[in-house]
Structures are given as C-alpha cells and as structure tokens.
Amino acid sequence: MKAAVVVFPGSNREGDVLKALAQAGAEVQKIWHAETALPSGTDLVVLPGGFSYGDYLRCGAIAGRAAVMDAVRAHASRGGKVLGICNGFQILCESGLLPGILMRNANLKFICHRQTLRVERADTAFTRAYAEGQVIDVCVAHGEGNYTADTDTLARIEGEGLVAFRYCDAQGHVTADANRNGSMNSIAGIYSDSLNVLGMMPHPENLIDDLVGGTDGRGLFQSLMAA
Amino acid sequence: MKARVTVTLKTGVLDPQGKAIEGALKSLGVEGVASVRQGKVFDVELDTADRAKAEEALKAACEKLLANTVVENYRVEIA
Amino acid sequence: MKARVTVTLKTGVLDPQGKAIEGALKSLGVEGVASVRQGKVFDVELDTADRAKAEEALKAACEKLLANTVVENYRVEIA
Amino acid sequence: MRNAIEITPQLVKEHGLKPDEYERFVALIGRTPTLTELGIVSAMWNEHCSYKSSRLHLRTLPTKAPWVIQGPGENAGVIDIGDGLACVFKMESHNHPSFIEPYQGATTGVGGILRDVFTMGARPIAALNFLRFGEPDHPKTRHLVSGVVAGIGGYGNSFGVPTVGGGMGFHRRYNGNILVNAMAVGLAKTNEIFYAAATGVGNPIVYLGSKTGRDGIHGATMASAEFDDASAEKRPTVQVGDPFAEKLLLEACLELMQSGAVIAIQDMGAAGLTCSAVEMGAKGDLGVELDLDRVPCREEGMTAYEMMLSESQERMLMVLKPGMEAEAEAIFRKWGLDFAIIGRTTDSLRFVVKHRGEVMADLPIKELGDEAPLYDRPHRANTYQPTIAPESVTPPVSNGEALLRLVGSPDQCSKRWVWEQYDHLILGNTVQMPGGDAAIVRVLDGPKGLALTTDVTPRYCEADPVEGGKQAVAEAWRNITAVGGLPLAVTDNLNFGNPERPEVMGTLIGCIRGIGEACHALDFPVVSGNVSLYNETNGQGILPTPTIGGVGLLDDVTVHATLAFKREEDAVVLIGATRGWLGQSIYLADLCGREEGAPPPVDLAAEKRNGDFVRNLIRSGQVDTVHDCQDGGIAVALAEMAMAGGIGAMVTAAPEGVPLHAFLFGEDQGRYLLACDVDQAADILYEANALGIPALMLGLTGGRSLILPGNETISVAQLKAAHEAWLPDYMAGKAA
Ligand SMILES: Nc1ncnc2c1ncn2[C@@H]1O[C@H](COP(=O)(O)OP(=O)(O)O)[C@@H](O)[C@H]1O
Ligand SMILES: [Mg+2]
C-alpha cells in the first residue's frame, strides 16, 4: 500500500504516523502542503497530528485551505482512502471532507492521557483488524477535540452508522466520565458517507510498541494494509 | 482603509468557552452575568481606498477563511 | 440587558495569529489586505436593569478575567 | 558620533548600572557613551548576561569528564552517549517574566531553552520543568499556577516536544517571586555540533526568524532587578511566544545546518541582537559590523537602541559561508521565515552598529564581555541549625492518618493535573512518563534510552546550603539510578535572592560548594546552567533553590525499573541506612508546623555505593521495581509504589532504636525501596551484606491496603483518593 503523509507548517506528529505505517509494511512518502498533486498510485493520504499554522484562527482552518487539499479532495471523491488524526481530523472538518467541527475541550484545557475507545464497526478499510465493540487503548493529546455538529447532521451520522469510535471506559461502557473533551455522543472519530475518509482525535500511531504503552493502535494500520 | 470583522457563533451552537467563562465569573464573585458567548474580531488594514473593492475583499476573506460558516456568522464594518 | 465586550491586543504586542491569517489570505488570493490583528468579543446577557450596576459588573469581569490587561485593552458597550 | 540624548546619572541608574560600573565603562571607551552604547553595556553587564556575582564561584564547579564534549560556555552542554550521538541539554529560568505575565512568561521561557538546544544542531526530544509557587491560599497563586502550566504546555505541545518531567511545590517564600525553570534535551550527531564562535573576516552575518518588535526591551535588565510594588509598571516589556514560528525556525535551522552553509550560530535570547552579535564576535576574536537598516522590523520607526535591546522571540543570528547566502535564503523562504544579511565580520575587534547612515555604537567587542564587572561579594555563612533528635519529635496519633495527610498535601499530592496539560507522549519514545522517579525517553529507535530528572529541596538548602547543594545533586543522581540509568551530567539553575545581601551570597556560595562536592564525588559534571538572582520582593527573598537537571543513560532501555508494585507476595527491601532523620522533614514541616533543624546529611560515599548496587540489580535483571526515598521517607515511598501498582503491602519490620514515626517518615539520604520475589530478596540481602551495604527486608506486597507496623491499615484506594484530589480541587477553587 502506498501512503502519502501530508506535512503542513506546524505538523508535528508526521514522524509518529510514518513509523506506524512503515511498521505495518506500507510504502510511505512525505509530501509538502504546497504540492498540488499526490504521488501517482497513492492509496492512502494521511493528515497527521500537530498544530498546523499554529492552530491559529481555528484548528485546521488554514491547512484546510492549503493547495494540496484540492488534490486530497479529488483523491477522496475517487474513493481513495484518507485518514486524518487529531489536527488531521480538524483539517478534514474545516475542508468540508467531514461534517461538524471540533471545539475547545469542555474543560478548556489541552489534555494528554491514555484513553480507551470502542470500535463501533469492524467492516471498514480502517478497522477490519479489530472486532466490532472491541475496546482499544490509544492516547489522546489535544486542546480542541470536542466534536460538535448540528442536530440533523448528528442524527444522520448516527443513523447511517458513520461513527467510527467512541470514548468509553475500560469495560467498553460509553460514560460521561470517559468523554473528557465533551464530544457529542462521545464521538472520537467519524467516517465520510462512503466510509473511505476517517477522521479521529486520538492517536493510534502512539500505541504501536509494547515498551511505550502497548500495541492496540497497530490494528488500524494493519487494517489498511489488508485493504 | 481600516475595517473590523466580527465573527460570532450561530445561536444554538454550544459554546464551551462561554459556558466556562460564566462559571468562572460566578466563582470570581462577579454578579449579574446571565450568559456569555465568545466570538472573534479582526482589525484589518486594507491597502485600497476603494470602498467597494474593500468590501469585496473582506467578504471573500470571511467566506474563504475567517468564518466557519457552518457554525459562525460574520459581520463587516468599514471605518 | 445585553452588552458586548471587545478585547484587543495593545499596539506593539506581537500577534502570531494575525500574522498567520495575513499569510493565509494572501495565499488564498484575497487581494488588498495589508495587516490583520485578532481580538475577542464577548456577548454578555446581564440579569439586571440597572445600567450602573451592569457597567460595574462588566468592568470587573474584564479586569478579573476577560482581558489580560498586561497585553490587552478592552472596551464595553451596553446595548 | 552624536549624543542625541544626554547621559545623566538618572539614566544610568535606570539602566541598572551602578555608578562605579558606569565609570568603568567610560574609562574603557575613553568618552561618554551614546544612548545606544549605554543600552548595549547595560545588557552585557547586567547579572543575567555577565554573571558578575556568580562567575567567580561557578568556576569551582567540576565540568569535565571523558564523555563531556562541551561544558559551560555555549548555548547548552553536550555529552557523548555513544553510537556517534550526543545529548545536548540546558536549563534556564524565566522567573520574573512569569510572575508578571504567567502564560507568556512561561511560553517564552520554554521557547528560549528549546532554542538554546537546537542552536547547537540538536533536535529537541524532551522537555522538563521545575516550578515553585507561593502558598496555596495566597491570592495570586491559583492564577499563576494555571497561567504557567498552560503556557509551558501551550508552547511545548505546539512545538512538538514531549514534556516528560519536572517538579512543582508551594511555599510562602515564593509568594512574591515564583520560579519557572525550563529544561530542554536534544540529540545531535557528535560530528555535527554547532557553536557560537564566528570565523573568517568579511563573512556575512545573517538575521533569521521572526521580525523585531519592541518586545521585552529591558527584559534582561528586568530579569536582574529586584521587585517592588511598582514592578507592574514594567509590564510593557512582556514578550509573546510564537511556538509555530519556533517550530518553523527549528526545521529551517536544521535543514540549513545540513546544507553546510553555517559557520556559527547563536540564538537571540536575553538582550537579543546585542548579546548574540557580541558573543559571536568575541568568541571568534573578530569584530562585528551591523547595519540596522536591514533588520526586519515589525513596527514603524524603531530606533537603534530599541533594535539592539529588543527581546522579540524566535530569532537567530548566523555567520554563513560566503557564497551560500542564496541557498540559505531559499531554505528560510520555504519555511516562511525572514532572512536578512545585516552585517559582516571584521578584523577590527570592534562592535560597530550603524543606523540610517550614522554610527550609533562603536565599542571594543572583547572587553564588553571580558571586562564586565566581576564581584567577590561579601558573604556570611548562615548560622547552622541544631540536629533534632527523633525522640524529641512528637509521634502522630496515627501513622496511617499522618501518611494520608502527607500524600494529599500540596507538595506531595499527584501533579497529574499539571502533566496532563503537557503532551508527554508525542514522538512515541516516552518509556517512563511523568510520575516516575526519572523520565525515560528512548533514543531514536533504541536500544539506548535517556533518564531525565529535575530536583532540589529548598528547605534543606535554607537550613544548610552545603548539605542542601549536595542533596540536590544526590537526589537527581538517585532518581536516575532508580530507573536503571547511569548518571552522566547535570545542568544547574541557581535561583537565589539579592546577592548584595551577605547572607544570600553566603547561601549561594554554600550551595555551589555542595553541588561541586557532590558532582565531583558522583562523577556527575556540570555541563550547563543558568543563574537567577534578585528573586526578592520588598526585602523578602525566595528559599535558596539551586535546581539540578540530571541526565543519565540506559544502554538497553527495555531493561529499566519503575516504582509500581507489580506482583503480590513480592518482598519489599530497603537499601541504605535509616537513622530516622526528622530535621527539615516534610513530617516536621507539614504535620508539626516546624521548619526546623539540620537537614539530613549526605554521605556521598554511601550514596555512590548504594546507588551503584541498586543500578546493578536493575541492569542484571534482578529487580524491576525500585523507588528512592525522599520527602516523607519510607512511608510516602511505600504509598507511592502501592498507588502506582494498585497493590498493597504489609510492613512488619521496625528496627530497634528508632522511634516508629521517625523510621517511617525520616528523610535519611541514599535510600531505595525494592520489590522482587522472596528468593531474589534473600540473595540481594546476602550480596548487600557482603558489600557492607545496609539492607533490610520490610515486608511483603499484596492485598488492597498498606499495613504499617502495629497493624495500622490504610486502603490503597483511600490513599489514591487523597493523593489525586488536592490539586484539581484546589484549581477548581476549593479552599486550600
Ligand atoms: N549555574 C551555572 N552552572 C554552570 N554553567 C552555567 C551556569 N549558569 C550559566 N552557565 C553557563 O553560562 C553560559 C551562559 O549562560 P546563559 O546566559 O544562561 O546562556 P544563554 O545566553 O544561552 O541563555 C551558558 O553556557 C551556561 O551553560
Ligand atoms: Mg542561548
């Protein structure tokens, strides 16, 4: 699988996701935000975590309008896979590739901690290596992860089963305590209508190593390889 | 030419910052505040004297970047 | 009673956000913008009818929380 | 040269120069200085840049070892960690600015130290910080805590470096002067380290990074001035940090260094353009000529004086190889940063500053540094406090209750509220996150790892500066050892009051002596550091706080120890001698309200012997559970191990001749708690005995409670609740 990781000024987790992709066996390539085309044969585009453009104005707002995003849009509309993690999720929302917006965390603070997620469906290109309802351990590191959408949008996302992950406790219960950033319906990640675009706040790429917290994050990248 | 753009959350969109500020003000003993909603202002310097051009530029700026029209409204005032 | 508080950076204080926005507008092809400085607005609902009380409350809110008077100025308008 | 403004004694005073210092300068240049020159010398000769009160004494610190590549004198210290890799690190304070504007003060502090590290060619891989605030119920404290913590996170998180450790405490002596010490650690190739010394006459001097504004003018002077109630007036000097610009600057600088265009590089820190330009020239025995008309400015009509003293952040100065300007400029433009050739090196050994076609300054460049005042200030050894006999300290009604109060106290409680605001997981190499003895960060893809810590016990330093200085170093060394690291070198950040007061100066000298003795005995040289004096408000100085930042090496990062109990039925073994030392202990201070007595003495030979023994046990795979004993002694250490592992323990042993509460809460130095299986423990006790190392089997792990001698039972859940509650509750506004 050929993966292209887009680097914006202020991206800072591109190295982490490159590592995770390479570990899963992907052929990886970095591309600069000013590019207008993706490398030919790109299967997966990754928008990594970080603070693109300092997260100034709104998280992901400026990056969401970068030159390369037209190419990413085209890729997505061709059914190509796109993964946005953390700042990447914010960029996907700002660029209109995913609905809704990520607001300040409920406590208005940046929070970094380990977090358990419930895998809502295991039949997509991103999650087939997991089981439906499986509880996975990931890490969270954001100040604006509070997923918000208007009632209709939310109803549609839920109705069409486009929720990818929810914050839950260790037993898989979706509780208020487990939803530390205050996201609507405890949403941690969502898919596009045709399930080829995934945006998520937590960082599976930081849980790929027994020495550093565990390997629950690997499944996502292995799923993409199998695709 | 100077202008001010004001971007505010659409009514109905919840505003965690505003909520937190309400709480903080109460705990700071500031009385009488019922609700707070936070928005942004942009003070813009334009290097054109042409009002129409300016308005056009500012509208473009808002639509393309300054406001997320999914959840935000904007207002432009030219000094 | 409704009021609007506007908080802006003191002149001379660096505004990284404004700088980033200027750059973005240029690359988005928005012409004629020379400079941008970003500030905050707070739309406040007060549960008092007494103007003097309201002003006092708002001033307190600004000094204690809404504005960082080290680097920011604030302005209060009561509707 | 024109003297647009008359240099009055008042003006000299406002620049923080003493009359004799001004005379010295006039004599040096043989005429009345211009205002710009006065500004330049006030920046170069203030405490922060010239170290005029401390230089003499800092010279006594051990700074050498076979693995030291660069000691004090550059932007950061450099040590060799093998495989062609170097670890580059330094700690620096931003105390005064953080008190005036906590968020921006902290961000710019972190930004400054990160810059010091990547200026040397190293990519930052970890950040730490050491914080001290006033008493919790002081009206300012909450605001300062929330601003400083948000600021440290706000900068490091965006820049993209994990903040993996630090320290935080409260004491009334910091009510008017908080401490914000930031440490950064980076990695470089040993053969690709960059220095500040310029070489070659006529080479271009290049300005890189953000534009220059009026930020922080007199910041350096402010950082060396004692506070009074009018300090609020100093506010307009507040600098604003831009982590986004710094991230771009990092990438652009490292890319430029790879291109081979860089001869010398110096970040613009305190007193920006002045210090950096003078340092580059003076260190390279060259003159420097600057043309300020070329300096990228953010504001209209900036004067030469303002440009020379501006402390706008995220700026660098470089000397480039002639002919490579275009290539260098292309790299900086790509990252959207300013690039301007603003001067050149000369053979005149003069520092010449031109603006609008006029010479605004023309000074002898080396003398600006070398001839800076150097003081051997009068000092008084402080009166030592008597040793307090354990028997003379009233025991608590209940040791369990006492322990519960200690683990839930402002200083001992969990600092999760703080480090959850720091991205401590980015880069995917954080093997031991905040909450352990030392943080562990894997080096690249391994197998090596670095152990990092910041430590000092100010109340010890106050009571006995020499022992306190020794203890700070010993504790850092011990924390690194407790995770299995081999301690290699330290950076120190000496925070003190007004050195013009003999008792403060005496304390500073005592601490430096103690640090020197310990670093020497433990083979733990000082490779970088920073001094912050005049931490004093209305005559009230802070507790002497010589913060020690320690760096250690793990050859195989997978072989390390953590403090959490891991198994039931493990034997709990105490290494090191226990006399039940309660003088200056947390027990005495927090529970008896007595900050009294001599602090625990540090036996450096025993420290080394005990530590080397424990480290070998970890490295040979015999133990994976270790915690050192410090504040609150054995009892608090046990509680921390139990809370981290969610497993209790039963302590049966209570040695003869030491009162139980002194045994539990005494703060004797050089001690560790280990947990391992019982057979293993027997061997360890035997080995220790053979080596003459005090070792004692305390009891067994297991259950959900901590059971102290005399069958006092306290549940781990209860301990955890108290431990986790205090800080969030306090920050949420509940009374302290
Ligand atoms: N307490 C100290 N111990 C050892 N070295 C020190 C100490 N204080 C300052 N130094 C060294 O003196 C040099 C100048 O310090 P400083 O002015 O803080 O550096 P910078 O100008 O990069 O901020 C640095 O190399 C620093 O390591
Ligand atoms: Mg420096």
Side-chain angles (χ1 to χ4, degrees):
Chain A
M1 181 195 60
K2 281 185 83 179
V5 176
V6 182
V7 180
F8 300 94
S11 296
N12 63 22
R13 257 186 172 87
E14 70 275 18
D16 302 23
V17 78
L18 280 163
K19 215 184 201 179
L21 287 160
Q23 183 192 57
E27 196 182 318
V28 293
Q29 187 170 354
K30 269 200 239 177
I31 64 169
W32 186 236
H33 67 105
E35 300 294 334
T36 50
L38 299 171
S40 61
T42 298
D43 302 297
L44 169 72
V45 176
V46 178
L47 308 181
F51 285 65
S52 58
Y53 298 91
D55 271 358
Y56 297 143
L57 184 58
R58 295 180 310 276
C59 299
I62 299 177
R65 290 147 180 83
V68 72
M69 289 309 292
D70 295 328
V72 175
R73 254 183 232 96
H75 173 79
S77 60
R78 285 194 304 270
K81 289 187 285 300
V82 180
L83 170 63
I85 302 173
C86 198
N87 192 227
F89 186 13
Q90 296 162 337
I91 293 168
L92 288 172
C93 290
E94 277 286 344
S95 64
L97 275 156
L98 288 174
I101 179 174
L102 294 136
M103 311 266 277
R104 287 290 297 279
N105 293 345
N107 69 353
L108 301 194
K109 290 183 172 53
F110 184 98
I111 47 174
C112 177
H113 57 88
R114 293 281 288 284
Q115 169 77 49
T116 40
L117 297 182
R118 194 176 72 192
V119 180
E120 294 297 295
R121 54 190 290 180
D123 60 348
T124 75
F126 300 87
T127 55
R128 65 191 72 199
Y130 295 120
E132 182 176 335
Q134 184 178 341
V135 175
I136 61 168
D137 195 354
V138 290
C139 107
V140 147
H142 59 250
E144 264 118 346
N146 184 346
Y147 184 76
T148 306
D150 60 66
T151 356
D152 305 352
T153 309
L154 197 61
R156 193 175 57 81
I157 293 171
E158 292 288 358
E160 297 171 12
L162 300 180
V163 176
F165 305 99
R166 287 185 216 272
Y167 302 108
C168 66
D169 65 17
Q171 290 68 42
H173 304 116
V174 176
T175 64
D177 287 354
N179 181 21
R180 289 184 55 180
N181 61 25
S183 292
M184 289 182 168
N185 300 10
S186 295
I187 289 173
I190 58 169
Y191 294 109
S192 62
D193 299 0
S194 36
L195 304 173
N196 62 319
V197 179
L198 169 64
M200 64 190 296
M201 285 315 296
H203 295 281
E205 76 274 28
N206 284 134
L207 264 90
I208 58 166
D209 189 337
D210 281 311
L211 185 64
V212 188
T215 57
D216 281 10
R218 286 185 183 176
L220 188 122
F221 303 97
Q222 286 159 351
S223 300
L224 286 161
M225 289 308 294
Chain B
M1 197 182 309
K2 285 189 188 330
R4 168 166 287 183
V5 174
T6 312
V7 175
T8 52
L9 277 177
K10 289 181 174 168
T11 41
V13 180
L14 101 211
D15 173 15
Q17 313 213 46
K19 279 270 155 291
I21 290 166
E22 287 167 23
L25 286 175
K26 284 190 184 56
S27 67
L28 285 171
V30 177
E31 296 303 326
V33 174
S35 85
V36 180
R37 286 177 72 77
Q38 180 168 347
K40 308 189 183 87
V41 288
F42 304 93
D43 290 319
V44 184
E45 288 266 4
L46 296 127
D47 50 21
T48 164
D50 176 333
R51 230 187 145 73
K53 271 218 179 53
E55 277 185 7
E56 196 184 309
L58 289 165
K59 188 161 186 319
C62 292
E63 290 290 335
K64 287 186 177 169
L65 184 67
L66 297 184
N68 178 338
T69 50
V70 178
V71 285
E72 296 173 326
N73 298 319
Y74 64 87
R75 189 148 157 282
V76 174
E77 299 148 287
I78 297 184
Chain C
M1 195 181 312
K2 283 191 183 341
R4 169 166 285 185
V5 174
T6 312
V7 176
T8 52
L9 275 177
K10 290 181 176 170
T11 42
V13 176
L14 172 68
D15 177 13
Q17 306 217 52
K19 221 174 50 179
I21 293 166
E22 283 169 28
L25 288 174
K26 283 191 185 58
S27 58
L28 285 171
V30 176
E31 296 302 327
V33 174
S35 86
V36 179
R37 283 176 77 78
Q38 180 169 346
K40 306 190 192 87
V41 287
F42 302 92
D43 289 320
V44 184
E45 288 265 7
L46 296 126
D47 50 20
T48 164
D50 176 334
R51 231 186 143 71
K53 269 215 180 53
E55 271 181 14
E56 195 184 307
L58 289 166
K59 189 164 186 319
C62 290
E63 291 288 340
K64 287 185 179 170
L65 185 67
L66 299 184
N68 175 352
T69 52
V70 179
V71 285
E72 296 172 324
N73 298 320
Y74 63 87
R75 196 153 150 277
V76 174
E77 299 147 289
I78 298 185
Chain D
M1 263 180 297
R2 257 181 337 115
N3 279 28
I5 288 139
E6 189 204 347
I7 308 300
T8 63
Q10 177 57 23
L11 196 59
V12 170
K13 187 161 177 292
E14 283 164 10
H15 280 75
L17 284 176
K18 302 272 187 303
D20 57 316
E21 293 176 336
Y22 178 70
E23 286 319 314
R24 180 193 186 90
F25 180 57
V26 172
L28 185 66
I29 64 173
R31 58 176 167 79
T32 318
T34 64
L35 177 64
T36 306
E37 290 174 330
L38 179 64
I40 289 172
V41 76
S42 74
M44 292 301 299
W45 286 9
N46 73 23
E47 195 64 60
H48 183 85
C49 294
S50 73
Y51 291 87
K52 57 192 169 194
S53 304
S54 56
R55 226 153 75 224
L56 197 64
H57 307 283
L58 294 177
R59 289 184 189 145
T60 64
L61 292 170
T63 60
K64 293 194 170 36
W67 53 88
V68 172
I69 293 174
Q70 174 64 56
E74 281 288 333
N75 285 307
V78 184
I79 58 173
D80 191 331
I81 58 168
D83 312 329
L85 289 174
C87 174
V88 178
F89 64 100
K90 168 140 191 261
M91 180 158 39
E92 194 153 75
S93 65
H94 228 211
N95 304 337
H96 299 71
S98 301
F99 184 81
I100 288 171
E101 209 304 277
Y103 185 91
Q104 295 301 345
T107 57
T108 48
V110 173
I113 196 62
L114 285 167
R115 230 155 26 245
D116 275 334
V117 163
F118 70 78
T119 298
M120 309 276 309
R123 179 174 285 275
I125 58 162
L128 296 89
N129 57 89
F130 186 89
L131 313 175
R132 281 296 178 271
F133 297 98
E135 340 170 64
D137 50 18
H138 185 278
K140 272 208 170 74
T141 301
R142 241 185 224 93
H143 161 74
L144 290 169
V145 171
S146 76
V148 165
V149 170
I152 289 172
Y155 205 97
N157 299 346
S158 173
F159 178 83
V161 65
T163 301
V164 295
M168 181 202 206
F170 303 84
H171 194 282
R172 66 177 186 290
R173 294 276 295 278
Y174 302 101
N175 281 353
N177 301 78
I178 62 172
L179 298 186
V180 176
N181 295 177
M183 174 173 170
V185 181
L187 277 184
K189 296 212 178 77
T190 48
N191 58 353
E192 291 178 8
I193 292 164
F194 290 79
Y195 298 97
T199 60
V201 174
N203 287 340
I205 294 176
V206 177
Y207 171 115
L208 306 156
S210 300
K211 289 184 164 47
T212 297
R214 293 189 171 90
D215 324 69
I217 289 174
H218 275 170
T221 325
M222 171 172 98
S224 306
E226 192 178 327
F227 275 7
D228 51 42
D229 297 326
S231 300
E233 300 322 308
K234 297 201 169 92
R235 278 173 169 183
T237 66
V238 167
Q239 317 142 23
V240 171
D242 181 356
F244 174 55
E246 178 111 328
K247 167 74 169 160
L248 302 182
L249 190 58
L250 163 76
E251 300 300 340
C253 284
L254 294 186
E255 197 174 324
L256 186 53
M257 286 165 169
Q258 285 306 312
S259 78
V262 180
I263 291 177
I265 172 169
Q266 174 65 35
D267 70 300
M268 299 194 216
L273 196 46
T274 294
C275 277
S276 49
V278 170
E279 247 173 77
M280 288 181 119
K283 280 184 176 158
D285 295 310
L286 290 169
V288 164
E289 190 175 303
L290 297 182
D291 175 3
L292 298 185
D293 300 327
R294 306 241 190 105
V295 171
C297 287
R298 200 174 74 231
E299 295 172 63
E300 295 299 308
M302 287 189 66
T303 65
Y305 176 91
E306 290 170 325
M307 284 189 235
M308 293 311 293
L309 293 187
S310 163
E311 292 191 350
S312 294
Q313 300 290 298
E314 293 88 26
R315 302 180 302 161
M316 288 275 184
L317 207 60
M318 284 190 192
V319 176
L320 290 183
K321 293 216 178 87
M324 297 195 75
E325 297 89 338
E327 184 175 344
E329 175 157 14
I331 292 172
F332 269 70
R333 297 287 174 220
K334 168 187 159 197
W335 288 98
L337 296 165
D338 271 289
F339 175 104
I341 298 171
I342 64 165
R344 53 186 193 87
T345 55
T346 68
D347 58 7
S348 68
L349 282 182
R350 307 226 23 117
F351 183 49
V352 179
V353 176
K354 294 185 180 149
H355 189 220
R356 305 207 183 96
E358 222 182 313
V359 174
M360 307 304 284
D362 184 348
L363 300 168
I365 199 161
K366 289 190 80 69
E367 288 75 358
L368 274 177
D370 302 348
E371 295 301 312
L374 176 59
Y375 296 127
D376 183 359
R377 297 198 184 273
H379 43 88
R380 191 179 317 126
N382 84 336
T383 51
Y384 291 95
Q385 303 210 26
T387 300
I388 289 180
E391 298 72 18
S392 72
V393 177
T394 36
V397 183
S398 144
N399 288 310
E401 269 309 309
L403 177 56
L404 198 56
R405 279 178 59 194
L406 287 185
V407 297
S409 71
D411 285 353
Q412 266 63 245
C413 71
S414 163
K415 299 305 185 293
R416 177 185 308 276
W417 183 91
V418 173
W419 50 257
E420 278 195 344
Q421 293 183 59
Y422 304 151
D423 189 337
H424 49 272
L425 300 170
I426 187 170
L427 304 187
N429 286 323
T430 308
V431 175
Q432 170 63 64
M433 54 178 226
D437 280 326
I440 305 175
V441 174
R442 177 172 50 197
V443 174
L444 306 177
D445 294 328
K448 288 188 168 149
L450 293 172
L452 310 168
T453 182
T454 58
D455 301 283
V456 62
T457 312
R459 64 183 189 278
Y460 292 0
C461 297
E462 169 87 348
D464 183 334
V466 177
E467 285 305 314
K470 281 161 67 179
Q471 192 275 342
V473 174
E475 188 180 349
W477 190 88
R478 204 181 303 143
N479 278 318
I480 291 167
T481 296
V483 300
L486 179 67
L488 289 183
V490 308
T491 180
D492 65 344
N493 200 148
L494 307 177
N495 308 275
F496 289 79
N498 178 353
E500 293 160 45
R501 293 204 290 122
E503 58 278 22
V504 172
M505 198 59 211
T507 312
L508 172 61
I509 293 170
C511 286
I512 292 176
R513 205 184 104 205
I515 291 170
E517 285 176 19
C519 288
H520 181 78
L522 298 172
D523 225 348
F524 204 24
V526 174
V527 297
S528 67
N530 171 253
V531 179
S532 170
L533 302 177
Y534 298 95
N535 293 284
E536 192 152 310
T537 300
N538 300 335
Q540 171 68 282
I542 59 166
L543 287 176
T545 314
T547 314
I548 298 297
V551 173
L553 185 65
L554 294 98
D555 294 320
D556 178 353
V557 71
T558 62
V559 180
H560 64 268
T562 63
L563 57 74
F565 285 146
K566 297 170 185 61
R567 297 158 296 266
E568 307 248 333
E569 309 287 299
D570 261 3
V572 180
V573 176
L574 171 68
I575 301 293
T578 303
R579 289 148 70 184
W581 196 282
L582 289 173
Q584 294 299 337
S585 67
I586 277 291
Y587 176 87
L588 197 62
D590 285 13
L591 301 183
C592 311
R594 298 167 54 191
E595 290 180 36
E596 296 169 19
V602 181
D603 174 343
L604 292 167
E607 270 300 338
K608 186 148 186 10
R609 200 185 54 223
N610 300 358
D612 291 346
F613 178 69
V614 170
R615 190 182 314 106
N616 288 331
L617 294 175
I618 299 169
R619 296 193 152 195
S620 60
Q622 294 175 77
V623 298
D624 62 358
T625 306
V626 178
H627 190 16
D628 75 311
C629 300
Q630 182 42 43
D631 292 343
I634 292 169
V636 167
L638 277 170
E640 287 167 345
M641 297 172 91
M643 289 187 285
I647 298 174
M650 175 152 179
V651 179
T652 42
E656 298 301 306
V658 182
L660 184 55
H661 66 298
F663 171 69
L664 289 173
F665 299 108
E667 294 178 6
D668 304 80
Q669 297 293 297
R671 298 184 304 164
Y672 302 79
L673 286 176
L674 322 176
C676 58
D677 77 50
V678 178
D679 303 348
Q680 193 63 259
D683 299 350
I684 291 172
L685 291 170
Y686 179 83
E687 282 178 60
N689 197 293
L691 294 165
I693 293 171
L696 176 68
M697 165 114 174
L698 290 186
L700 292 176
T701 64
R704 295 285 164 268
S705 298
L706 201 54
I707 305 172
L708 302 175
N711 270 320
E712 263 205 72
T713 302
I714 168 163
S715 82
V716 176
Q718 213 179 343
L719 286 166
K720 219 172 159 55
H723 189 56
E724 293 294 340
W726 190 85
L727 192 49
D729 287 355
Y730 170 68
M731 293 310 296
K734 306 217 178 104

